[in-house]
Amino acid sequence: MDRKTLSQILAILLWMPLFLAPLLTAQPSIPAKATVSARIEYGYGLVFYHIELPEPTTSLSFNVSGYTGKLVLAVAQTERQRNVLAVVDKSQVKFAFSDPARQVNITFVFDIVTSNLTTIEIRFPIPLSPFGYATNVSGTASFSTGINVNSTFGKVMGSQVSYNATLPPASYDVIRGSTSSGQVPVGKIARINRTIILEADKIVYEDTVEILQLSNYPITSLAIALPVSYVFDGAEGLLGPYPRNYWHSYNASNSTLILITLMSSVQLVGQRTVLTLRYHTNRSNMINAYMGLGFVVTDYSVKLCIRGSLTVPQEFTTGETVTGSLQCYVLKPVGPLFQADLYPRVPVSNIVFKPSTGLSLAETVIILLVLILLLATGVFAVARIRRNKVEKAKEKVLTATTVPREVSEAIYKILLRREELLITTIENLNSLRARKAGTTKIVSVIREYEKRDTALETEVSKLLGQLGDAGREITNEMVRIKEGIHQRMNEIEKIERNYRVGRLDKKEYNVRIESLETELRNLAQKFRELAEKNI
């Protein structure tokens, strides 16, 4: 072996430890570990994601390329930081933490449902691994029975998609599915109008909730979640206050679940119903104005009101209004409502309560005018008749002045409730036909309508008796409307029976039913016209 070759071998031996050292000491990359669960609630796709990282980090980013426009909300929680809202940057969802974290819980909310009169479709992105981390993912996405789904990364088993694999960084799945619109109940909360009233000893919430139907499967209940320090006071719908047996409370670990059975359910795609929820909590100078009720709402308004005055930081308000004796401060929307503690509370100060007279300015003016009139009448009567006739004159003036206004408002509301009851019944009958229900069920719905409408008729008749001739005119018109409704309901019963025994073909059946429904809707409108014309 020559000297040159020997020198080369020695050089290689000398340098070899430097090349081998990194290979000998390097460890295989440790993947992150994540669990995921997903489901549909009130028309939105919810993803609950928990990740354990191999080392602490101050940031996480996820790939949702093509679906950032569908992201409604993304919020994270770490061991030391709560409610970290995500920032969307092009195709990424980014979280930044004030302290390094190894374990992170994230909730993603996507708008995933599209529907029409016949079909419901979903496209549901599921983040599986963040940028920079291969991730061992396990978990399940669950859907209602009847939704046919497919997945890229998951294993489909009936109405579920399960995950159990180690995936490369920035992976996400897209679950696609569809079903008939009559197979599953799907709806969303289209809007909430919230009024918060600050009282001396408590904070009262009134939420007017608008429910939108996205399928042809009836939605018959609404569930809300309140913090344990809140008390649910009741609900009111288009047909009036809900009886106590229409809602039930269930205790959870840190909240109270309220399950409400709807008196006026929504049956078909595009239908809406309105429900007012009332609840309260103890008085505080920090108002949870943007408290979520457990479902996602993107369209809402919030007013903070007081019988008196208070100071709200300017960054929270957009203006002020006066409603009767209430001074109200209109608050700015901050983002989708969802969880109870998602957004900061609104501080209030300089609180001053005015003594409540129970009367609005208009009512006070009316009473003053009545008193002046009574005084003038009394002075004149004293000169002509005995004292007892003066008292009768006072009573007559008071009745004529105050009763019609109060009674008319009650009559107006009942007439609108009769309109709503008839429209709801028509829609219920349509829904039964779509599901090919038998004559017995259809007749049962008609009988239930007649029972409830008779109760409303009795209630409004008692009030109309106080209006004299004007009340009798309204009563006569109501009788004509009811007779028209009764006649057409009887005709519907006959047509349903004749169709099912083969005396009518399908075409004639559909034409006659459609004609009768149009006439009933016109009669329902007459209740509103009567209310607005005479009240």
Side-chain angles (χ1 to χ4, degrees):
M1 183 181 296
D2 57 27
R3 293 172 62 94
K4 183 177 180 180
T5 302
L6 183 61
S7 298
Q8 290 174 340
I9 292 173
L10 291 172
I12 292 171
L13 291 173
L14 289 171
W15 283 99
M16 187 175 292
L18 298 176
F19 287 106
L20 293 177
L23 298 175
L24 294 173
T25 59
Q27 298 294 325
S29 175
I30 301 174
K33 182 179 179 181
T35 56
V36 61
S37 65
R39 62 177 182 266
I40 299 174
E41 281 190 6
Y42 291 101
Y44 291 95
L46 307 183
V47 181
F48 303 98
Y49 187 90
H50 173 76
I51 189 167
E52 298 179 14
L53 301 165
E55 69 280 327
T57 183
T58 57
S59 65
L60 276 179
S61 297
F62 292 83
N63 178 24
V64 287
S65 177
Y67 291 90
T68 53
K70 294 292 185 180
L71 182 69
V72 176
L73 179 70
V75 57
Q77 295 183 347
T78 70
E79 302 98 319
R80 297 185 178 182
Q81 198 172 359
R82 293 177 59 83
N83 299 332
V84 179
L85 294 174
V87 175
V88 176
D89 182 9
K90 297 180 181 178
S91 64
Q92 297 184 31
V93 181
K94 297 182 176 181
F95 298 93
F97 310 122
S98 58
D99 295 306
R102 288 191 61 184
Q103 296 192 32
V104 184
N105 292 309
I106 303 172
T107 301
F108 298 93
V109 180
F110 294 95
D111 190 357
I112 66 166
V113 177
T114 58
S115 66
N116 54 42
L117 293 176
T118 59
T119 307
I120 295 172
E121 295 184 352
I122 63 169
R123 285 198 175 188
F124 196 163
I126 311 286
L128 297 174
S129 62
F131 280 94
Y133 296 91
T135 306
N136 185 348
V137 182
S138 62
T140 304
S142 301
F143 302 91
S144 299
T145 302
I147 298 182
N148 301 312
V149 298
N150 60 66
S151 162
T152 303
F153 289 107
K155 180 180 179 181
V156 178
M157 297 177 295
S159 58
Q160 292 187 338
V161 178
S162 61
Y163 302 97
N164 189 13
T166 300
L167 299 174
S171 297
Y172 71 100
D173 194 12
V174 177
I175 298 175
R176 292 175 171 84
S178 64
T179 187
S180 166
S181 64
Q183 289 290 323
V184 293
V186 183
K188 66 169 54 176
I189 308 303
R191 182 172 173 81
I192 285 182
N193 293 324
R194 171 172 291 172
T195 299
I196 305 171
I197 303 174
L198 186 61
E199 297 185 353
D201 59 343
K202 61 185 176 181
I203 303 171
V204 178
Y205 291 72
E206 291 189 1
D207 290 349
T208 300
V209 179
E210 182 180 325
I211 304 171
L212 171 64
Q213 173 68 286
L214 299 178
S215 72
N216 288 326
Y217 194 105
I219 297 175
T220 59
S221 63
L222 175 71
I224 68 172
L226 294 176
V228 291
S229 60
Y230 285 68
V231 177
F232 186 71
D233 297 315
E236 182 173 348
L238 294 170
L239 301 178
Y242 274 44
R244 178 60 182 84
N245 62 340
Y246 271 73
W247 52 271
H248 298 86
S249 301
Y250 303 91
N251 294 327
S253 57
N254 58 355
S255 64
T256 301
L257 178 67
I258 311 295
L259 183 62
I260 305 165
T261 300
L262 299 178
M263 292 175 64
S264 177
S265 62
V266 280
Q267 306 282 333
L268 302 174
V269 173
Q271 288 183 2
R272 299 170 187 256
T273 191
V274 175
L275 185 67
T276 298
L277 309 174
R278 294 185 177 90
Y279 50 96
H280 74 270
T281 189
N282 295 332
R283 161 80 182 280
S284 171
N285 289 0
M286 299 295 292
I287 311 298
N288 195 355
Y290 305 105
M291 181 176 67
L293 299 177
F295 42 70
V296 178
V297 185
T298 59
D299 186 11
Y300 62 91
S301 66
V302 182
K303 291 193 301 183
L304 176 58
C305 302
I306 186 174
R307 290 179 178 85
S309 63
L310 52 77
T311 300
V312 183
Q314 189 173 359
E315 62 265 27
F316 289 101
T317 64
T318 61
E320 299 180 19
T321 63
V322 176
T323 304
S325 60
L326 293 173
Q327 174 70 33
C328 296
Y329 304 81
V330 182
L331 304 186
K332 298 176 182 177
V334 293
L337 304 185
F338 182 32
Q339 298 162 334
D341 60 349
L342 185 58
Y343 302 108
R345 302 192 177 205
V346 178
V348 295
S349 58
N350 301 322
I351 300 171
V352 177
F353 291 99
K354 292 181 179 179
S356 176
T357 64
L359 300 172
S360 67
L361 178 60
E363 290 171 330
T364 303
V365 170
I366 291 173
I367 290 175
L368 287 174
L369 290 174
V370 171
L371 291 174
I372 292 171
L373 185 57
L374 285 173
L375 182 60
T377 303
V379 171
F380 178 75
V382 165
R384 299 186 57 189
I385 58 178
R386 295 177 301 173
R387 187 178 183 86
N388 63 333
K389 292 185 178 181
V390 175
E391 296 302 324
K392 290 182 180 180
K394 289 181 181 179
E395 182 180 352
K396 182 177 180 180
V397 172
L398 183 61
T399 300
T401 306
T402 62
V403 171
R405 182 189 60 80
E406 297 169 358
V407 172
S408 64
E409 291 178 357
I411 294 171
Y412 181 85
K413 292 179 180 179
I414 296 173
L415 289 173
L416 294 190
R417 285 163 62 187
R418 294 187 75 179
E419 177 198 30
E420 173 64 21
L421 176 61
L422 180 53
I423 291 174
T424 300
T425 301
I426 295 168
E427 293 168 351
N428 288 346
L429 291 173
N430 253 326
S431 178
L432 288 173
R433 293 189 194 96
R435 300 201 301 271
K436 299 182 179 180
T439 306
T440 301
K441 288 187 177 180
I442 288 176
V443 172
S444 176
V445 168
I446 293 174
R447 294 292 177 271
E448 179 64 19
Y449 162 76
E450 291 172 344
K451 176 182 175 182
R452 293 169 69 177
D453 185 66
T454 298
L456 291 173
E457 181 185 33
T458 301
E459 185 178 351
V460 74
S461 296
K462 292 178 180 178
L463 297 172
L464 289 168
Q466 303 179 44
L467 299 185
D469 291 340
R472 282 188 287 275
E473 291 179 9
I474 298 174
T475 299
N476 291 338
E477 183 61 27
M478 285 197 316
V479 169
R480 285 191 288 270
I481 296 172
K482 184 171 182 176
E483 287 176 350
I485 294 170
H486 181 69
Q487 176 186 345
R488 286 157 181 83
M489 288 294 190
N490 284 342
E491 187 66 21
I492 286 175
E493 287 188 37
K494 292 178 184 177
I495 290 172
E496 295 289 352
R497 290 192 173 94
N498 289 338
Y499 174 63
R500 280 161 178 75
V501 298
R503 294 175 184 170
L504 287 176
D505 61 31
K506 188 172 183 179
K507 182 177 179 181
E508 184 180 1
Y509 167 76
N510 288 333
V511 169
R512 292 178 66 178
I513 287 293
E514 183 178 348
S515 175
L516 287 168
E517 285 186 349
T518 300
E519 292 174 7
L520 284 171
R521 290 182 186 277
N522 291 335
L523 287 168
Q525 178 66 25
K526 288 188 179 298
F527 280 125
R528 179 177 293 271
E529 293 172 356
L530 185 62
E532 294 175 349
K533 177 181 178 181
N534 295 283
I535 305 304

